[in-house]
Amino acid sequence: MRTQDDAPFEGVPVPGLRASYFHRDEDGRTATVGCYFLGDREILRAWGYADEEHCRHNAVRGRDGWHPAADGCPEVELIRDGQAAVIGLAVRAPNGEWVRAPRPGPAAGQSAATPR
C-alpha cells in the first residue's frame, strides 16, 4: 500500500487529489484498488488486476452517496485553469452526473471549466 498527495491522473498531477493504492495476491495474480480522495471525502474507487491495462470496475461517489459499481475505467476529465495548469478533475457517474473536484470558481475574466 502507498498513498500519494497531488496524485496523477493520465500522468498529470492533480492538486488536492490524494490516492491510496492497495494490492493483494489473489490466486497467483495481484488484485489492485485505487481510492481517490479530496480532503476527507472519497470520490472514486477503481479496481482490477495489475497485469491488465485497464480497470475492471469503478465506483463514483456523487452528491447522494455511492453509485453502483460500473464495468471498466471511470470517465475522467482534467479541469484546467484556461491555460495548461490542471486545477482539478471531474468524474462521470453511471447516471451521467459529473462529480467535480474541486469546484473551481471562475478566474478573473474567465468562465469555469465545464466537462462535456
Side-chain angles (χ1 to χ4, degrees), residues 4 9 11 19 26-27 32 37-38 45 47 50 56 61-62 65 85 91-92 97:
Q4 184 172 2
F9 240 96
E26 192 172 279
D27 297 326
T32 63
F37 299 81
L38 284 161
R45 286 186 186 182
W47 61 95
R56 282 227 172 179
R61 184 177 179 183
V91 182
R92 187 183 294 241
E97 171 190 355

Side-chain angles (χ1 to χ4, degrees), residues 19-107:
S20 292
Y21 306 101
F22 301 89
H23 61 88
R24 72 173 186 212
D25 291 330
E26 192 172 279
D27 297 326
R29 297 179 78 191
T30 302
T32 63
V33 63
C35 304
Y36 297 87
F37 299 81
L38 284 161
D40 62 354
R41 180 178 167 78
E42 187 176 7
I43 61 165
L44 171 65
R45 286 186 186 182
W47 61 95
Y49 291 94
D51 60 350
E52 295 177 344
E53 185 175 350
H54 297 286
C55 312
R56 282 227 172 179
H57 306 285
N58 75 87
V60 176
R61 184 177 179 183
R63 292 181 204 98
D64 298 324
W66 287 98
H67 292 272
D71 292 337
C73 294
E75 184 175 352
V76 176
E77 287 192 7
L78 297 174
I79 299 172
R80 299 184 184 274
D81 68 355
Q83 304 298 316
V86 172
I87 59 171
L89 61 85
V91 182
R92 187 183 294 241
N95 70 353
E97 171 190 355
W98 279 99
V99 178
R100 294 182 69 189
R103 291 191 173 278

